[in-house]
Amino acid sequence: MIRSRLFRKTLVFFIILFGVVANVSAAYSGWLIYKRLTQEYESKAVAIARSVAHSDIDIIARSDAALIQSKIDQYLDLEGVSYVLVTDAHGEVLAHTFIPVIPEQVLAAVNLVRSRDPLSDSTLVQHVTLPRGDVIHVGMPILAGAAGFVYIGMDRSIITNYIWQSVLQQQGITMVIFVVSGIVAFLFIRSISMPLMRLTEYANRVASHDFSGSIDIRTNDEVGALAQTMQSMSHDLAALVGNLENAVAEKTEELTETLSYVSAIIGNITEGLLVLSADGRVFKSNPALERMFGCSGLEGCTVEEALAVNALPEANAELISALRRALAEGHADGARIVQLFEANCFRADGGSFPAEISMVCFERNNVVSLLCLMRDVTERRRIQESLRKSHDVLELKVAERTRELSRMNSQLMLENAERKVVEQALRRTEERYRSIFENSIEGIFQTSPEGRLLNANPALARIFGYSSPQELIAEVRDVALDIYARQEDRKAFVETVGAEGRVNAFEFKARRRCGGLIWITANARAVHDRDGRLLYYEGFIEDMTVRKEALARLEHQAYHDPLTGLPNRMLFQDHLAMALSRVQRRSDYAFAVLYLDLDRFKVINDSLGHSIGDELLCHVAEQLRRCVREVDTVARFGGDEFAILLEEISAPREAVRISRRIMEMLSVPVSLGGHEVFTSASVGIVLKTERYENPQEVLRDADTAMYRAKELGKSRFKVFNQRMHEAVLRLMALETELRKAVERRELYLEYQPIIDLAESRICGFEALVRWNHEYLGSISPAEFIPLAEDSGLITDIGDFVFEQAVTDLKKWNVPEGIAHRGSLYVCINISGRQFMQPDFAGHVEQLIREWNANPEYLRFEITESVLMEQMSVVADTVSRLRTFGVRMCIDDFGTGYSSLSYLQRLPVDIIKIDRSFVAQLQNDREGRSIVRSILSLGNSLGLDVIAEGVECLHQEQVLDDMECRYLQGFLYSASLSVAEVDSLLAMEAPLAYLRFTAESGGFKDVSGL
């Protein structure tokens, strides 16, 4: 729409300049905001770190990781806090808020803080880049680093967000101003350019001798006056042109007369004159042209020869081409052609100059010729360039002044509007904050530097026991004397505010009107005037007495046993850790740890009730307190387990002496709830403590020693030694290997024959599980079976034994074998843990169906101790097994409770005489009497009796005389592999072969004996 080139350039320049100013101001504002927010967040991080370091110094000094973790987790709720990390004086991390691990960049920053002067108590602020963004890392030493360090990380992404929001808002406002200014500039320029364009158009028509039109510009400015002047001039020119045309004819004759004068003029004019004939040769030239091109004698030369420059073959090519073209066009059209242009011309010496050239073709004697005038415009161009620069500078100054006035006007209007908005906002804010001040539940105050209350709200009066703020202000003359319980707290408050300008979570004890003491937490700042003079302190306080009391109760509950009041495991480990650190620092320091477990506590608890059990635990706790010194620590870990830390002992015998005293005091019966209760304890002792690095290792070895004491018979103490630890490690390794062996089915079965003397044949076998390890060799069942029971592998091993025994039994009890030697049965040992599993009978029924086993040939062996544990459960399981057809056998009969009542109550079929009684048959009459009694008892109850451990012919003869029908022992055979049993059963007389091989010392596959 705006076609004026002059005003278009001006408008584009203003737009570019406005954009540059807007971007520079936005960049500066963003940098200023970034700097201020970074300082604010660094100050905030330092304040938080100092708060953690000062308020929780006792917890950090104790290295209480759990309580420290709970404390620092609260700071994550503060805006901008990215993480909190606490280390001890050695740089060990006590607690942190990272999930799951601490980034390497943070650990590097922590090491940088620790590498500073250890006596420095100042903070170190760093900028750390993490994968999730940049943070401000602040390190705060506690007690100059002696108690540890606190590190706070502030998220810098919040600063970036604030900066982007501010820049975007500023750019938005700038864009609005820009659009409005552009529209105003467009309208302003358009109002100027349109009249000028119409004036230019009218001037062009006048220049083409068109005087018929008129111009309609009626403005009271220079443009309007110029339009009127031009229209008047056009009318005058029209008249003049008409008169001039008439005068031309009259003057033509006079012109001819003046030709002679023209020649003289041509020879003296400053413009170069060149006349070319039709064939392009120089007809006429004047001295000015020769001086201009530095040549002479041009008449008769072609234009190329006249204007040639030897050093530059292509020089003046543009001029020569224009002259030739003008001649050709004039000759072809026969018309008068006028051309005006500028060209860069060259002199004969190679120098160049700009020239303005005008050419006209005319007829001379009916021959077309070319007249060319050339003017050196070097000086004119210099003057024009100078004028253009001056004009541009003037335009810039006018535009800048116009823009400045416009901006000042806009700013003034904006400031007036903002002032009105701010005044309204201030009135609303004052009303709102007055309401908050009056109705706040926190006490708000203003005090003078001398301690005089200047202002207070109702909540502050209620906290200190006054009926109104006026009464509080009137009675409190000096807060240091009337409010603070300790003068040192007021002094610390004033010093902190003076040094930092504010206090956060400042805790102190305050005095109420009635004289009672309460805990107060204050947040306050110092207010100064423009000259920096302190005016007053202002802030708010909160009564935290209830919170303090609850915190004290929670802290005591967290570290003490609720039943006995003794320290719990956590507090004990804390004391033990401090004892370990003292061992490292002091060569003369020694301590011992006692790990105590009550014997038969479960029996007392189950039989007399949990209340009696709790009374017993409290009694034991009191006795333990009496047995140790004040410096020692007695703790309850839970259940019936106690631990004692004996500090500052001079020799190991002190720990032994205290252990004996404990066992003596616990052996004294105590009356609880009308019952006389006896108890004892098994104690594990750790004496050599200098090699331990953490409390867990000490407690582990003390627990190992305690269990060793229980294994040796309870009611005793055992001092830990390295062999116990090695035994535990071997047990753990053995458990791992046993699991692998079960998974890879590396276990196998061997069978020991059971002899029927009445029929002189093998009537059955006892299945014995064996384990031959690849590296450890043959491992005794007495070692790995208890381990399998403790680890829960006994079920898998039992299933394997059942499956393998049933498979082998099916192979041996084929019809041909039964017809040849009679049927065989297999005795399978069932452990107590396996037998007491829920629905053991149902599991056996499932296995019988799965393997299509004949229960008639199955015998399950269990010990007396298993039968006596839970009689009702055992009786039900045995009865269910009997209904399936499985016969039950009592193994090692006579070594357990030997209660005859359970033989009558339980449906058992077989009893096995323990090998210890069989071994006494040769020289012990009492042993013979016991065996004879067992045989008589079994026969009277209709039970089969098997004698185990028969190793010589004399034992066989004695048992045969006692009419013991079934025998088992090394006299006939040790346990045999499956292949050996196959070979044995394939013989004609297996029993005779067993007697023969027993005498010769080995099993030989001699078929057909």
Side-chain angles (χ1 to χ4, degrees):
M1 296 180 60
I2 300 176
R3 293 181 174 86
S4 174
R5 289 193 295 268
L6 177 62
F7 290 102
R8 184 188 307 157
K9 293 179 180 178
T10 302
L11 181 60
V12 170
F13 174 77
F14 288 164
I15 292 174
I16 293 174
L17 184 61
F18 188 90
V20 170
V21 172
N23 283 282
V24 169
S25 63
Y28 176 75
S29 299
W31 173 83
L32 188 59
I33 293 172
Y34 173 81
K35 182 177 180 181
R36 294 292 175 79
L37 287 179
T38 301
Q39 292 175 351
E40 181 68 22
Y41 268 64
E42 289 177 354
S43 300
K44 183 176 180 180
V46 170
I48 294 175
R50 184 172 288 107
S51 175
V52 176
H54 290 177
S55 62
D56 302 325
I57 185 171
D58 55 337
I59 302 174
I60 298 174
R62 296 199 309 269
S63 300
D64 189 348
L67 191 54
I68 295 173
Q69 188 67 46
S70 66
K71 289 285 186 179
I72 66 174
D73 285 343
Q74 301 173 2
Y75 290 95
L76 292 181
D77 297 331
L78 299 179
E79 181 184 10
V81 177
S82 176
Y83 61 83
V84 182
L85 185 146
V86 180
T87 67
D88 60 12
H90 305 290
E92 296 293 329
V93 176
L94 300 177
H96 64 84
T97 59
F98 289 101
I99 299 177
V101 295
I102 304 173
E104 294 295 333
Q105 297 87 341
V106 175
L107 292 178
V110 170
N111 293 332
L112 179 61
V113 174
R114 295 186 59 248
S115 65
R116 300 175 63 209
D117 183 7
L119 297 179
S120 176
D121 199 24
S122 62
T123 59
L124 178 61
V125 180
Q126 307 174 62
H127 294 270
V128 179
T129 301
L130 301 180
R132 60 184 181 188
D134 294 343
V135 297
I136 299 172
H137 180 88
V138 176
M140 167 68 68
I142 305 172
L143 297 181
F149 296 84
V150 177
Y151 303 93
I152 303 296
M154 303 298 295
D155 190 359
R156 294 180 63 187
S157 62
I158 298 178
I159 300 176
T160 305
N161 293 336
Y162 284 159
I163 293 173
W164 277 111
Q165 291 175 5
S166 175
V167 171
L168 290 176
Q169 290 173 2
Q170 182 178 359
Q171 291 290 353
I173 295 172
T174 304
M175 182 59 67
V176 172
I177 296 174
F178 170 77
V179 171
V180 174
S181 300
I183 295 173
V184 173
F186 171 80
L187 296 176
F188 176 76
I189 293 175
R190 187 173 183 275
S191 67
I192 297 175
S193 63
M194 291 302 291
L196 290 177
M197 291 172 61
R198 291 200 296 271
L199 187 60
T200 303
E201 182 181 0
Y202 182 77
N204 291 333
R205 290 201 304 271
V206 171
S208 60
H209 296 179
D210 181 9
F211 305 104
S212 60
S214 63
I215 183 169
D216 185 16
I217 299 177
R218 301 169 184 256
T219 58
N220 294 325
D221 53 12
E222 290 81 2
V223 177
L226 182 59
Q228 295 301 322
T229 303
M230 285 192 66
Q231 189 167 8
S232 176
M233 289 176 60
S234 66
H235 294 158
D236 296 338
L237 285 174
L240 291 173
V241 168
N243 295 331
L244 183 61
E245 289 175 349
N246 294 330
V248 167
E250 297 175 358
K251 298 298 181 180
T252 301
E253 187 176 354
E254 295 178 5
L255 181 61
T256 304
E257 296 178 356
T258 58
L259 285 177
S260 58
Y261 299 107
V262 171
S263 297
I265 295 172
I266 290 174
N268 295 286
I269 62 175
T270 59
E271 288 85 357
L273 176 65
L274 180 66
V275 181
L276 299 179
S277 61
D279 57 357
R281 292 184 178 274
V282 178
F283 175 76
K284 183 71 176 177
S285 64
N286 68 342
L289 180 67
E290 294 176 353
R291 289 193 302 270
M292 195 178 296
F293 283 93
C295 56
S296 61
L298 301 179
E299 284 79 1
C301 298
T302 63
V303 66
E304 289 83 0
E305 295 173 346
L307 301 179
V309 180
N310 294 331
L312 299 171
E314 297 297 328
N316 295 322
E318 181 183 0
L319 176 60
I320 295 170
S321 177
L323 295 173
R324 285 288 185 183
R325 188 167 54 253
L327 277 173
E329 293 175 355
H331 182 75
D333 297 339
R336 187 181 182 89
I337 301 176
V338 180
Q339 294 184 9
L340 180 65
F341 66 95
E342 292 185 0
N344 194 27
C345 300
F346 294 86
R347 301 183 184 91
D349 60 359
S352 64
F353 62 93
E356 183 181 70
I357 303 169
S358 61
M359 300 182 297
V360 63
C361 290
F362 64 95
E363 290 185 0
R364 181 174 59 84
N365 298 328
N366 295 325
V367 177
V368 176
S369 298
L370 180 65
L371 175 64
C372 179
L373 287 176
M374 301 182 186
R375 182 182 295 111
D376 188 346
V377 296
T378 301
E379 184 65 21
R380 190 180 70 183
R381 283 194 174 183
R382 185 185 64 78
I383 295 172
Q384 288 177 348
E385 181 65 20
S386 177
L387 290 174
R388 187 188 63 79
K389 291 182 178 179
S390 300
H391 179 270
D392 291 343
V393 171
L394 181 61
E395 289 287 346
L396 287 174
K397 289 183 178 180
V398 171
E400 183 178 358
R401 183 59 179 171
T402 303
R403 186 170 60 255
E404 183 178 356
L405 291 174
S406 177
R407 183 169 61 251
M408 291 176 64
N409 185 43
S410 301
Q411 185 176 0
L412 183 60
M413 296 173 62
L414 182 61
E415 288 179 355
N416 289 333
E418 288 180 350
R419 186 177 295 109
K420 293 180 180 179
V421 173
V422 169
E423 289 176 356
Q424 295 175 359
L426 285 175
R427 285 194 295 271
R428 290 194 299 269
T429 302
E430 183 179 3
E431 294 173 357
R432 182 166 63 253
Y433 280 102
R434 173 56 58 182
S435 175
I436 295 174
F437 182 79
E438 296 293 338
N439 300 309
S440 173
I441 62 173
E442 296 177 334
I444 303 175
F445 66 89
Q446 287 181 341
T447 63
S448 66
E450 295 77 19
R452 180 71 179 177
L453 264 176
L454 303 177
N455 203 355
N457 69 338
L460 187 71
R462 288 194 300 270
I463 290 174
F464 292 114
Y466 294 89
S467 59
S468 66
Q470 294 75 19
E471 185 180 9
L472 172 63
I473 294 173
E475 293 190 14
V476 175
R477 301 295 180 181
D478 187 353
V479 293
L481 300 176
D482 300 333
I483 297 297
Y484 283 82
R486 297 193 317 155
Q487 300 298 315
E488 294 81 359
D489 291 339
R490 176 61 180 179
K491 183 178 179 182
F493 174 87
V494 173
E495 290 177 352
T496 304
V497 176
E500 303 178 11
R502 62 178 61 246
V503 293
N504 294 303
F506 183 81
E507 296 182 3
F508 63 93
K509 274 189 176 182
R511 186 179 296 105
R512 287 172 57 87
R513 185 182 188 183
C514 62
L517 296 180
I518 58 174
W519 276 100
I520 294 296
T521 178
N523 294 274
R525 69 186 184 97
V527 180
H528 300 81
D529 60 11
R530 293 183 178 181
D531 298 329
R533 291 190 296 271
L534 178 61
L535 297 178
Y536 52 84
Y537 303 120
E538 66 177 11
F540 61 90
I541 65 172
E542 182 182 358
D543 185 355
M544 58 177 299
T545 305
V546 176
R547 189 189 313 166
K548 274 282 188 180
E549 294 174 352
L551 184 63
R553 289 194 299 270
L554 289 175
E555 187 172 346
H556 183 272
Q557 293 172 4
Y559 292 103
H560 292 80
D561 175 47
L563 177 63
T564 61
L566 295 176
N568 59 11
R569 181 186 292 269
M570 185 181 299
L571 184 56
F572 185 84
Q573 288 182 345
D574 185 52
H575 289 185
L576 184 54
M578 290 189 288
L580 289 173
S581 64
R582 281 193 290 270
V583 167
Q584 302 300 324
R585 295 193 307 266
R586 293 171 48 191
S587 58
D588 60 339
Y589 175 79
F591 71 92
V593 173
L594 278 60
Y595 202 99
L596 181 146
D597 184 87
L598 298 182
D599 301 327
R600 298 177 63 251
F601 176 75
K602 186 177 184 302
V603 176
I604 297 172
N605 212 27
D606 293 342
S607 59
L608 301 180
H610 291 280
S611 60
I612 299 298
D614 292 344
E615 291 184 23
L616 178 60
L617 292 174
C618 293
H619 169 74
V620 171
E622 183 61 29
Q623 295 299 318
L624 293 178
R625 286 196 192 96
R626 295 178 180 178
C627 293
V628 299
R629 302 158 300 173
E630 290 292 334
V631 297
D632 302 329
T633 303
V634 180
R636 179 188 175 217
F637 282 5
D640 57 345
E641 293 183 349
F642 296 84
I644 301 174
L645 173 62
L646 302 176
E647 299 198 54
E648 299 287 356
I649 61 174
S650 57
R653 62 177 177 272
E654 289 190 30
V656 175
R657 178 174 51 80
I658 293 175
S659 300
R660 294 184 187 278
R661 186 193 308 165
I662 291 173
M663 298 184 68
E664 290 175 0
M665 295 190 69
L666 293 181
S667 62
V668 178
V670 57
S671 177
L672 299 174
H675 302 276
E676 190 175 25
V677 178
F678 292 85
T679 187
S680 60
S682 300
V683 182
I685 306 174
V686 173
L687 294 176
K688 297 181 179 180
T689 54
E690 58 275 0
R691 65 182 181 86
Y692 291 99
E693 296 182 357
N694 56 69
Q696 290 75 20
E697 295 178 355
V698 181
L699 294 176
R700 177 201 64 196
D701 292 346
D703 185 61
T704 300
M706 183 270 292
Y707 276 105
R708 181 59 178 166
K710 281 187 175 294
E711 292 174 1
L712 295 177
K714 303 180 181 180
S715 187
R716 64 186 66 211
F717 63 86
K718 190 68 179 177
V719 178
F720 175 80
N721 55 55
Q722 189 60 31
R723 290 192 302 274
M724 294 183 186
H725 185 60
E726 293 172 356
V728 172
L729 293 178
R730 170 178 166 78
L731 197 62
M732 292 177 62
L734 195 64
E735 178 183 348
T736 302
E737 294 300 320
L738 180 59
R739 289 184 182 277
K740 295 178 181 178
V742 172
E743 293 174 358
R744 296 195 291 257
R745 302 184 71 86
E746 294 178 354
L747 304 178
Y748 62 93
L749 292 184
E750 290 186 349
Y751 298 91
Q752 186 174 31
I754 299 175
I755 308 302
D756 184 350
L757 289 180
E759 298 183 1
S760 296
R761 72 180 185 90
I762 299 175
C763 62
F765 294 92
E766 181 180 359
L768 303 171
V769 65
R770 295 290 185 262
W771 181 18
N772 189 17
H773 192 269
E774 181 179 3
Y775 303 108
L776 302 177
S778 179
I779 299 175
S780 170
E783 187 174 3
F784 72 81
I785 291 298
L787 182 61
E789 290 182 338
D790 293 338
S791 61
L793 294 173
I794 193 63
T795 301
D796 295 334
I797 295 176
D799 291 347
F800 161 75
V801 172
F802 184 89
E803 296 166 6
Q804 188 64 41
V806 168
T807 301
D808 295 337
L809 190 61
K810 284 183 179 180
K811 179 175 61 176
W812 298 331
N813 275 344
V814 294
E816 297 81 2
I818 294 176
H820 175 65
R821 62 179 178 274
S823 61
L824 300 173
Y825 61 84
V826 173
C827 295
I828 300 175
N829 290 281
I830 306 298
S831 73
R833 186 71 58 86
Q834 185 180 6
F835 190 81
M836 299 304 295
Q837 287 180 348
D839 199 24
F840 172 74
H843 182 65
V844 171
E845 182 182 11
Q846 180 182 354
L847 291 175
I848 290 175
R849 292 177 180 175
E850 180 179 351
W851 293 93
N852 194 22
N854 188 349
E856 181 182 354
Y857 302 130
L858 296 177
R859 309 287 188 269
F860 282 178
E861 294 187 10
I862 55 177
T863 61
E864 284 184 294
S865 59
V866 175
L867 294 175
M868 294 301 295
E869 281 186 2
Q870 296 186 17
M871 182 66 70
S872 59
V873 177
V874 171
D876 180 66
T877 302
V878 172
S879 299
R880 290 186 61 189
L881 292 174
R882 286 291 302 276
T883 58
F884 305 151
V886 179
R887 302 182 68 186
M888 300 301 299
C889 174
I890 301 177
D891 194 15
D892 300 334
F893 183 79
T895 60
Y897 295 95
S898 299
S899 174
L900 301 182
S901 62
Y902 74 82
L903 291 177
Q904 189 176 17
R905 294 171 55 188
L906 295 176
V908 296
D909 304 284
I910 305 169
I911 56 176
K912 274 191 172 183
I913 303 174
D914 185 69
R915 64 181 67 250
S916 61
F917 298 123
V918 175
Q920 300 174 4
L921 288 176
Q922 293 180 345
N923 303 316
D924 192 349
R925 293 183 180 181
E926 294 181 357
R928 293 184 183 183
S929 300
I930 292 174
V931 172
R932 185 178 290 106
S933 300
I934 294 174
L935 288 170
S936 176
L937 177 63
N939 292 332
S940 62
L941 295 176
L943 306 177
D944 293 336
V945 181
I946 301 175
E948 286 186 302
V950 179
E951 297 181 356
C952 62
L953 291 175
H954 179 71
Q955 292 173 348
E956 179 189 47
Q957 183 62 45
V958 172
L959 292 171
D960 188 24
D961 294 342
M962 294 181 181
E963 297 182 355
C964 180
R965 180 175 177 177
Y966 301 102
L967 305 180
Q968 177 183 351
F970 287 166
L971 174 63
Y972 309 106
S973 174
S975 58
L976 305 175
S977 66
V978 176
E980 291 174 333
V981 174
D982 292 341
S983 300
L984 178 66
L985 296 180
M987 299 177 184
E988 292 295 333
L991 182 58
Y993 182 72
L994 287 178
R995 292 181 183 275
F996 171 78
T997 55
E999 294 175 0
S1000 61
F1003 183 84
K1004 299 178 178 59
D1005 185 3
V1006 184
S1007 303
L1009 181 63

